[in-house]
Amino acid sequence: MVTAAVQYAGWLRLGARRATEGSVEQRRSALRRWLVFAVAWQLAVLVGIGIYIAVISGGSHSSAAWIAPAAGALVGTALPLQVVVMSLMRGLRP
C-alpha cells in the first residue's frame, strides 16, 4: 500500500495535470520530471526488496509467505502505473 501511495502521489504532484494539459513542451517537461521520479522510486523499491530478501532469506522458513511483503511492494509500484497510462491516453484525445 505504501509503495502504491507514493507512486500515485508522485504522479499527482509531478505530472497529472501538467502532463495532460498545456503546450507540448510543458507536457514533455512534466512527463520527464515524473519519469525521473518514477524510475528513482522503482530503483529504491527494488533495492529495498533486495535488502529485505537478503536479510530474511537467511533464516529457515516453513512456508513461502515470507516473500509476500516483497511481492506486495513490487505489485504496489506497478498498479499506479495503470492509472498514469489511462490519464495519458485520455490527454491524447482531441
Side-chain angles (χ1 to χ4, degrees):
M1 292 298 288
V2 172
T3 57
V6 171
Q7 184 86 348
Y8 188 67
W11 169 246
L12 290 178
R13 182 156 169 81
L14 295 173
R17 184 159 297 162
R18 294 179 200 123
T20 57
E21 298 174 359
S23 71
V24 173
E25 193 54 42
Q26 289 172 330
R27 288 179 182 192
R28 281 186 186 151
S29 177
L31 195 54
R32 229 177 266 126
R33 278 192 309 272
W34 180 78
L35 282 173
V36 167
F37 163 78
V39 168
W41 178 244
Q42 295 283 335
L43 288 174
V45 168
L46 288 175
V47 167
I49 289 170
I51 291 169
Y52 172 81
I53 289 174
V55 170
I56 298 297
S57 67
S60 63
H61 303 284
S62 60
S63 72
W66 65 271
I67 199 73
L74 192 60
V75 170
T77 60
L79 291 177
L81 295 177
Q82 307 305 313
V83 175
V84 170
V85 169
M86 294 306 293
S87 296
L88 290 173
M89 295 305 287
R90 268 187 264 124
L92 292 175
R93 288 188 208 165

